[in-house]
Amino acid sequence: MTTLFRRDSWPALIGSALAAVVATAAFAAPAAHASGTQYVEVAGSDHRAGCAYTVTAVGVVGYSSADSGAEVTFYDNGVPIDSVWVPTVGATTATWRPAAAGTHELTAKVVLLGTKWITPTTVTVAPATGTGSAACGLPSFSG
């Protein structure tokens, strides 16, 4: 038996196919942070005690944002590690140097008209492998 599609049924068929593709992509995507838009991110991998890493409050930006001019304080397990101001353009970043091995919860607090906590991230830090800057490995120049 041959099935014929009416001309006006094609848009619905295409729409259904597109919805299925979008739904599949959403389930296949990596898990998002709880807030979805603002969270803490740490550069690098294989984090070691005593080494310096860039910590970014992702989504906390100055241009066209309610966060413009706000003070952002970064925390490691509840202890302040650095305070910066939200830049006019660019990322809100600080330097983090974990003092000890173990699990570290990094978060940030934005203070302007009220206080807003940013979704934290958890990082496992390994013990230092040596002394001096050589213990932290060579910097990456790949961009």
Side-chain angles (χ1 to χ4, degrees):
M1 174 174 171
T2 305
T3 304
L4 297 175
F5 287 98
R6 290 182 29 201
R7 176 176 284 201
D8 59 347
S9 66
W10 282 104
L13 181 63
I14 292 170
S16 295
L18 182 59
V21 168
V22 169
T24 301
F27 286 115
H33 297 275
S35 73
T37 58
Q38 295 184 326
Y39 55 94
V40 175
E41 180 177 84
V42 182
S45 60
D46 190 31
H47 301 97
R48 301 228 171 251
C51 299
Y53 303 96
T54 299
V55 181
T56 303
V58 176
V60 179
V61 295
Y63 57 92
S64 69
S65 169
D67 296 322
S68 186
E71 181 181 18
V72 178
T73 302
F74 289 89
Y75 294 85
D76 177 1
N77 292 333
V79 177
I81 55 175
D82 199 0
S83 289
V84 297
W85 294 95
V86 176
T88 303
V89 175
T92 303
T93 63
T95 299
W96 171 56
R97 188 179 301 272
T103 302
H104 295 259
E105 182 181 78
L106 301 173
T107 191
K109 178 174 69 172
V110 181
V111 178
L112 187 59
L113 299 176
T115 299
K116 176 174 50 174
W117 285 94
I118 304 302
T119 303
T121 191
T122 301
V123 178
T124 301
V125 176
T129 57
T131 58
S133 60
C136 296
L138 296 173
S140 172
F141 297 105
S142 62

